[in-house]
Structure formats: C-alpha cells, structure tokens
Amino acid sequence: MKFQLLTKGVLLLAACVFAASLQAGERLAKADVEAALAAAYAKYKDLQEGANADYIPALAKVDSNIYGIALVTPEGEVYTAGDVKSEVSIQSISKVFTMALVMDEKDPEAIFNNMGVDATGQVFNSIVAVEQYKGAEMNPLVNAGAITATSMVAGNSREDIWNKILSYYAAFAGRELSVNQEVFKSEAATNQRNQAIAKLMYAYGHIKDNPDQATDIYTEQCSVNVNARDLAAMAATLANGGRNPITGKQVMRNENVAEVLAVMATAGLYDDSGKWLFLTGLPAKSGVGGGIIAVSPGRFGIAVISPPLDAAGNSVRAQKAIADISNALGGNPYAVTPAK
Ligand code: GLN
C-alpha cells in the first residue's frame, strides 16, 4: 500500500533520472535546484497523510504543518523552500552521527564487530531483533545498536561524553545546537522499552557497563533541536567526504564516510530501507520528529522536515519531496549513462 503510494509519483519521474543524470563532480545548475525544490514544496504542501509520532507524548504536540526543505551542495550553496526556521527534535537522525563519532574514535570495525551492519527487517525498537542473534547481526541505526553505539563513546563522565556528542553534531550543522528539554523529559519519562533494550544489550555483552546511562544519553541526543537547514548541512557534510561545505571544517575522518553511508543505505529508513533505496538510490536517515536526511555523494545533501509519519515511522512528505527532488536532479548514484 505504502509502496504503491510512493511509487506512483516516483515512477512517473523515472524518465527524468535519465534526462537529468548528473556525472560525479558536475555542479548542479542553480535554476534546476530552485525549480526542483519549489515544485516538490508546492506538490506536497497540502498533503494530509500520516500522523505525528505520539508514543513520545511531546511529539504529538508538535505543529504537523511544519514543512521545510533544504539542499546544500559540496560548494556550500544553500537552497531552501518553505519553513526552514522551525526546529524539531533530531530523534533517530542522531544515530548516524553518533555512529560516525564511534568510528572516528575507534574504527569502523568496532561497529561492525559489536552490533553489525545488517538490516533487521523489524521495527526500529524491536526486541525480537535483539533476541534473534543475541544482540549481534543488527546495526547502529536501530535502537538497540544505537544505544550501544552511544555506550561506546569514550569519556570520563556523563558530562564529558555528552559534551563531545553535542559538539560533534554542532560541527556537522555548522552552528551551536541545543536540547529540546520538553522532548527530553517526555521521552525520559516514557522510554522503559529502550531501557529494557539496553539492559538486554548489556546482558549479551555488547554494552560493557552502565546501560541506564547509555539510554539516558541516547535519549538526550535524540532531543537535540534542528531545523531543515541544519539537517541539510549535516547531510552535505557526509556528501562532501566529511568536510562541512559551509564552514570548511573537516568534521569526521574522510575514510569513514563510505561506511557511514553504507549503513544508512542498509537501514536508514528502518524496515522500509529497501523500498527507499529502490526508489531513490540514496543513503538516508529518518527520525520520528519528522526529519529525513539524504545524501547524494559528491553532489548534495538534502533534508526535509514534516512531522506526520507513515506506519514505518518515516515522514510522509519528506520521503516524497526528497525522492522527487533527487530524481529531478539526477541524484541517484546508481543511475549512470553508458560510456560512449
Ligand atoms: N528517540 C526515539 C526512540 O528511541 C527515536 C526513534 C526514531 O526516531 N525512530 O524511540
């Protein structure tokens, strides 16, 4: 059902993939990007599908009409449409950047060996997925793997670890970020399921100690406020080999970017990741706050915020808008034209 809804619009645009196929390193034309953003914004502005997440009470109260699109190129050009000022909590999009931090501090094998890099085929907060392989054979973008990744960030105190995580995210966004205290408190009061998942990961030896602290820091990282422009800058940093194209700062190790993108492609939209990759070819990550980031390596980072979600927990408008824009701009890295 969901698949059919998405395909409808996207397949109509399939021809454009070929028409607009972009070679790596080729600059996007300003007018094309502006037209693609404006068209996607207008097309989905009045769409009423989906509903805000409500299992975290504070998320149910967020304005469902927030709808903002931003795209940032490796040259640091910023394009926007709609509301790119309103902030929502980053939620699961944070998992990408904590994974990157752990890879930077240790190495990608630490992730590979501890929780794995495979899709679970289960919902993001699945306990069945933990049980199936005793906490292995999953990935850092589902809750069990993500809380475990947070537990792997080095530091002498909770404060140390937290400050490191927040400043790492801020370097990707290119500005200081802060926590939405209402969301943090709301999730902290209702996250017994995540606490249980962390205890299981501890029981199976993936979290080495203090699973409650890992869950608490994870909950706080999910509550960081971002707008669509922040998320697009974060995505564009990944699209640009780990260097923030706006600030010019090398934020993460260049050699780890490919692994981060691979995990996003495998598991970024949870159990709908395969459908998403089939339709767009883009490594991406969603959050239940309503944001999605997607990366066309070497070409652009894009983000859309719109809180109403589908059954898998992915923003309805964000999926459609990103798919349209990427297809219009030839963003699919798998779509190449044969050599002459
Ligand atoms: N903080 C949320 C949770 O753990 C994040 C989930 C999400 O964005 N999919 O449930």
PDB file of all heavy atoms in Angstrom, residues 157-173:
ATOM      1  N   SER A 157      33.211  11.087  32.225  1.00  0.00           N
ATOM      2  CA  SER A 157      31.970  11.319  32.973  1.00  0.00           C
ATOM      3  C   SER A 157      30.834  11.444  31.968  1.00  0.00           C
ATOM      4  O   SER A 157      31.069  11.610  30.763  1.00  0.00           O
ATOM      5  CB  SER A 157      32.073  12.628  33.761  1.00  0.00           C
ATOM      6  OG  SER A 157      32.220  13.700  32.837  1.00  0.00           O
ATOM      7  N   ARG A 158      29.611  11.381  32.492  1.00  0.00           N
ATOM      8  CA  ARG A 158      28.459  11.573  31.605  1.00  0.00           C
ATOM      9  C   ARG A 158      28.572  12.911  30.890  1.00  0.00           C
ATOM     10  O   ARG A 158      28.296  13.041  29.696  1.00  0.00           O
ATOM     11  CB  ARG A 158      27.153  11.517  32.419  1.00  0.00           C
ATOM     12  CG  ARG A 158      25.914  11.537  31.531  1.00  0.00           C
ATOM     13  CD  ARG A 158      24.666  11.986  32.248  1.00  0.00           C
ATOM     14  NE  ARG A 158      23.488  11.871  31.403  1.00  0.00           N
ATOM     15  CZ  ARG A 158      23.169  12.705  30.414  1.00  0.00           C
ATOM     16  NH1 ARG A 158      23.963  13.727  30.116  1.00  0.00           N
ATOM     17  NH2 ARG A 158      22.075  12.524  29.697  1.00  0.00           N
ATOM     18  N   GLU A 159      28.999  13.936  31.633  1.00  0.00           N
ATOM     19  CA  GLU A 159      29.101  15.281  31.083  1.00  0.00           C
ATOM     20  C   GLU A 159      30.111  15.341  29.917  1.00  0.00           C
ATOM     21  O   GLU A 159      29.844  15.932  28.874  1.00  0.00           O
ATOM     22  CB  GLU A 159      29.525  16.232  32.203  1.00  0.00           C
ATOM     23  CG  GLU A 159      29.219  17.680  31.909  1.00  0.00           C
ATOM     24  CD  GLU A 159      29.841  18.602  32.945  1.00  0.00           C
ATOM     25  OE1 GLU A 159      30.298  18.119  34.010  1.00  0.00           O
ATOM     26  OE2 GLU A 159      29.888  19.813  32.666  1.00  0.00           O
ATOM     27  N   ASP A 160      31.241  14.707  30.142  1.00  0.00           N
ATOM     28  CA  ASP A 160      32.285  14.615  29.096  1.00  0.00           C
ATOM     29  C   ASP A 160      31.737  14.008  27.803  1.00  0.00           C
ATOM     30  O   ASP A 160      31.955  14.521  26.704  1.00  0.00           O
ATOM     31  CB  ASP A 160      33.332  13.581  29.562  1.00  0.00           C
ATOM     32  CG  ASP A 160      34.603  14.208  30.004  1.00  0.00           C
ATOM     33  OD1 ASP A 160      34.566  15.391  30.344  1.00  0.00           O
ATOM     34  OD2 ASP A 160      35.614  13.467  30.006  1.00  0.00           O
ATOM     35  N   ILE A 161      31.067  12.875  27.982  1.00  0.00           N
ATOM     36  CA  ILE A 161      30.540  12.140  26.826  1.00  0.00           C
ATOM     37  C   ILE A 161      29.490  12.999  26.122  1.00  0.00           C
ATOM     38  O   ILE A 161      29.490  13.157  24.897  1.00  0.00           O
ATOM     39  CB  ILE A 161      29.930  10.787  27.267  1.00  0.00           C
ATOM     40  CG1 ILE A 161      31.016   9.904  27.885  1.00  0.00           C
ATOM     41  CG2 ILE A 161      29.232  10.085  26.100  1.00  0.00           C
ATOM     42  CD1 ILE A 161      30.492   8.681  28.626  1.00  0.00           C
ATOM     43  N   TRP A 162      28.609  13.587  26.933  1.00  0.00           N
ATOM     44  CA  TRP A 162      27.536  14.385  26.336  1.00  0.00           C
ATOM     45  C   TRP A 162      28.088  15.583  25.561  1.00  0.00           C
ATOM     46  O   TRP A 162      27.688  15.853  24.418  1.00  0.00           O
ATOM     47  CB  TRP A 162      26.524  14.846  27.406  1.00  0.00           C
ATOM     48  CG  TRP A 162      25.568  15.824  26.817  1.00  0.00           C
ATOM     49  CD1 TRP A 162      25.458  17.153  27.096  1.00  0.00           C
ATOM     50  CD2 TRP A 162      24.652  15.553  25.756  1.00  0.00           C
ATOM     51  NE1 TRP A 162      24.521  17.726  26.284  1.00  0.00           N
ATOM     52  CE2 TRP A 162      24.008  16.770  25.453  1.00  0.00           C
ATOM     53  CE3 TRP A 162      24.315  14.410  25.028  1.00  0.00           C
ATOM     54  CZ2 TRP A 162      23.029  16.874  24.453  1.00  0.00           C
ATOM     55  CZ3 TRP A 162      23.351  14.507  24.024  1.00  0.00           C
ATOM     56  CH2 TRP A 162      22.718  15.736  23.755  1.00  0.00           C
ATOM     57  N   ASN A 163      29.038  16.291  26.191  1.00  0.00           N
ATOM     58  CA  ASN A 163      29.583  17.484  25.517  1.00  0.00           C
ATOM     59  C   ASN A 163      30.255  17.116  24.206  1.00  0.00           C
ATOM     60  O   ASN A 163      30.166  17.846  23.213  1.00  0.00           O
ATOM     61  CB  ASN A 163      30.578  18.205  26.429  1.00  0.00           C
ATOM     62  CG  ASN A 163      29.859  18.898  27.574  1.00  0.00           C
ATOM     63  OD1 ASN A 163      28.659  19.189  27.474  1.00  0.00           O
ATOM     64  ND2 ASN A 163      30.566  19.128  28.672  1.00  0.00           N
ATOM     65  N   LYS A 164      30.900  15.965  24.205  1.00  0.00           N
ATOM     66  CA  LYS A 164      31.567  15.535  22.981  1.00  0.00           C
ATOM     67  C   LYS A 164      30.533  15.245  21.875  1.00  0.00           C
ATOM     68  O   LYS A 164      30.685  15.672  20.729  1.00  0.00           O
ATOM     69  CB  LYS A 164      32.388  14.272  23.275  1.00  0.00           C
ATOM     70  CG  LYS A 164      33.331  13.920  22.146  1.00  0.00           C
ATOM     71  CD  LYS A 164      33.812  12.505  22.259  1.00  0.00           C
ATOM     72  CE  LYS A 164      34.813  12.348  23.395  1.00  0.00           C
ATOM     73  NZ  LYS A 164      35.302  10.955  23.466  1.00  0.00           N
ATOM     74  N   ILE A 165      29.471  14.563  22.242  1.00  0.00           N
ATOM     75  CA  ILE A 165      28.425  14.228  21.254  1.00  0.00           C
ATOM     76  C   ILE A 165      27.790  15.507  20.704  1.00  0.00           C
ATOM     77  O   ILE A 165      27.668  15.692  19.489  1.00  0.00           O
ATOM     78  CB  ILE A 165      27.351  13.302  21.886  1.00  0.00           C
ATOM     79  CG1 ILE A 165      27.951  11.914  22.150  1.00  0.00           C
ATOM     80  CG2 ILE A 165      26.112  13.202  20.998  1.00  0.00           C
ATOM     81  CD1 ILE A 165      27.026  10.945  22.896  1.00  0.00           C
ATOM     82  N   LEU A 166      27.418  16.411  21.615  1.00  0.00           N
ATOM     83  CA  LEU A 166      26.721  17.625  21.163  1.00  0.00           C
ATOM     84  C   LEU A 166      27.628  18.484  20.284  1.00  0.00           C
ATOM     85  O   LEU A 166      27.183  19.013  19.250  1.00  0.00           O
ATOM     86  CB  LEU A 166      26.216  18.426  22.371  1.00  0.00           C
ATOM     87  CG  LEU A 166      25.337  19.628  22.030  1.00  0.00           C
ATOM     88  CD1 LEU A 166      24.056  19.193  21.313  1.00  0.00           C
ATOM     89  CD2 LEU A 166      24.970  20.421  23.291  1.00  0.00           C
ATOM     90  N   SER A 167      28.904  18.600  20.642  1.00  0.00           N
ATOM     91  CA  SER A 167      29.755  19.461  19.814  1.00  0.00           C
ATOM     92  C   SER A 167      30.078  18.784  18.475  1.00  0.00           C
ATOM     93  O   SER A 167      30.269  19.469  17.461  1.00  0.00           O
ATOM     94  CB  SER A 167      31.005  19.927  20.551  1.00  0.00           C
ATOM     95  OG  SER A 167      31.701  18.839  21.037  1.00  0.00           O
ATOM     96  N   TYR A 168      30.079  17.466  18.460  1.00  0.00           N
ATOM     97  CA  TYR A 168      30.286  16.748  17.189  1.00  0.00           C
ATOM     98  C   TYR A 168      29.098  17.025  16.250  1.00  0.00           C
ATOM     99  O   TYR A 168      29.286  17.378  15.080  1.00  0.00           O
ATOM    100  CB  TYR A 168      30.410  15.255  17.493  1.00  0.00           C
ATOM    101  CG  TYR A 168      30.949  14.400  16.373  1.00  0.00           C
ATOM    102  CD1 TYR A 168      32.286  14.449  15.988  1.00  0.00           C
ATOM    103  CD2 TYR A 168      30.115  13.499  15.710  1.00  0.00           C
ATOM    104  CE1 TYR A 168      32.785  13.635  14.979  1.00  0.00           C
ATOM    105  CE2 TYR A 168      30.606  12.671  14.705  1.00  0.00           C
ATOM    106  CZ  TYR A 168      31.940  12.745  14.338  1.00  0.00           C
ATOM    107  OH  TYR A 168      32.427  11.936  13.341  1.00  0.00           O
ATOM    108  N   TYR A 169      27.881  16.920  16.768  1.00  0.00           N
ATOM    109  CA  TYR A 169      26.702  17.221  15.939  1.00  0.00           C
ATOM    110  C   TYR A 169      26.758  18.674  15.439  1.00  0.00           C
ATOM    111  O   TYR A 169      26.418  18.964  14.291  1.00  0.00           O
ATOM    112  CB  TYR A 169      25.399  17.050  16.732  1.00  0.00           C
ATOM    113  CG  TYR A 169      25.021  15.658  17.164  1.00  0.00           C
ATOM    114  CD1 TYR A 169      25.850  14.559  16.958  1.00  0.00           C
ATOM    115  CD2 TYR A 169      23.804  15.434  17.822  1.00  0.00           C
ATOM    116  CE1 TYR A 169      25.484  13.288  17.382  1.00  0.00           C
ATOM    117  CE2 TYR A 169      23.429  14.169  18.237  1.00  0.00           C
ATOM    118  CZ  TYR A 169      24.277  13.098  18.024  1.00  0.00           C
ATOM    119  OH  TYR A 169      23.895  11.857  18.451  1.00  0.00           O
ATOM    120  N   ALA A 170      27.134  19.570  16.357  1.00  0.00           N
ATOM    121  CA  ALA A 170      27.155  21.000  16.022  1.00  0.00           C
ATOM    122  C   ALA A 170      28.130  21.290  14.879  1.00  0.00           C
ATOM    123  O   ALA A 170      27.856  22.123  14.008  1.00  0.00           O
ATOM    124  CB  ALA A 170      27.530  21.817  17.258  1.00  0.00           C
ATOM    125  N   ALA A 171      29.241  20.571  14.853  1.00  0.00           N
ATOM    126  CA  ALA A 171      30.215  20.787  13.774  1.00  0.00           C
ATOM    127  C   ALA A 171      29.630  20.365  12.424  1.00  0.00           C
ATOM    128  O   ALA A 171      29.896  20.991  11.394  1.00  0.00           O
ATOM    129  CB  ALA A 171      31.495  20.013  14.070  1.00  0.00           C
ATOM    130  N   PHE A 172      28.802  19.320  12.424  1.00  0.00           N
ATOM    131  CA  PHE A 172      28.127  18.920  11.184  1.00  0.00           C
ATOM    132  C   PHE A 172      27.105  19.981  10.760  1.00  0.00           C
ATOM    133  O   PHE A 172      26.960  20.280   9.576  1.00  0.00           O
ATOM    134  CB  PHE A 172      27.415  17.572  11.362  1.00  0.00           C
ATOM    135  CG  PHE A 172      28.305  16.371  11.222  1.00  0.00           C
ATOM    136  CD1 PHE A 172      28.952  15.819  12.316  1.00  0.00           C
ATOM    137  CD2 PHE A 172      28.501  15.777   9.981  1.00  0.00           C
ATOM    138  CE1 PHE A 172      29.775  14.702  12.188  1.00  0.00           C
ATOM    139  CE2 PHE A 172      29.319  14.658   9.835  1.00  0.00           C
ATOM    140  CZ  PHE A 172      29.958  14.120  10.937  1.00  0.00           C
ATOM    141  N   ALA A 173      26.375  20.520  11.738  1.00  0.00           N
ATOM    142  CA  ALA A 173      25.342  21.513  11.418  1.00  0.00           C
ATOM    143  C   ALA A 173      25.966  22.876  11.109  1.00  0.00           C
ATOM    144  O   ALA A 173      25.359  23.701  10.414  1.00  0.00           O
ATOM    145  CB  ALA A 173      24.362  21.644  12.582  1.00  0.00           C
TER     146      ALA A 173
END
